[in-house]
């Protein structure tokens, strides 16, 4: 299982629409509205790292109102888990 996070910048007045659309993406397991440089943080869980990229490109960036994304891949290397 691969874990990723995406920071999303959303054009003004589209925040609620994008938030609601993100709830329909099955690979997104958490959605957090933010204040600051980015507007929303999403947590993505997929079978592998390549699929995280596909979700971001095909399901998140395709949404109307998304201006920019920054994707981060999670790791278990510091948690002591294998």
């Amino acid at each position: 299982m691969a874990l990723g996070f995406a920071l999303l910048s959303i054009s003004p007045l589209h925040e609620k629409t994008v938030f609601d659309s993100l709830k329909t993406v099955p690979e997104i397991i958490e959605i957090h509205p933010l204040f600051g440089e980015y507007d929303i943080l999403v947590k993505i869980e997929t079978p592998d790292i390549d699929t995280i990229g596909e979700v971001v490109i095909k399901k998140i960036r395709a949404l109307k109102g998304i201006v920019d994304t920054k994707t981060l891949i999670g790791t278990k290397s510091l948690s002591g888990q294998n």
Side-chain angles (χ1 to χ4, degrees):
M1 198 56 71
L3 186 64
F5 300 87
L7 292 161
L8 312 178
S9 294
I10 302 167
S11 61
L13 305 177
H14 286 91
E15 295 90 353
K16 177 71 171 129
T17 305
V18 169
F19 185 89
D20 290 341
S21 296
L22 292 169
K23 291 191 284 187
T24 69
V25 179
E27 296 87 354
I28 295 176
I29 59 174
E30 293 181 23
I31 307 169
H32 301 276
L34 304 172
F35 291 112
E37 184 177 352
Y38 295 96
D39 301 301
I40 293 178
L41 168 70
V42 295
K43 185 175 181 181
I44 304 164
E45 189 174 75
T46 63
D48 54 64
I49 291 172
D50 290 334
T51 307
I52 291 173
E54 290 177 18
V55 169
V56 172
I57 292 168
K58 295 179 181 175
K59 297 183 179 182
I60 295 175
R61 288 185 185 172
L63 295 174
K64 182 179 179 180
I66 298 288
V67 175
D68 188 35
T69 63
K70 182 175 207 171
T71 306
L72 308 154
I73 303 298
T75 179
K76 293 182 180 181
S77 65
L78 299 177
S79 67
Q81 298 176 352
N82 293 332

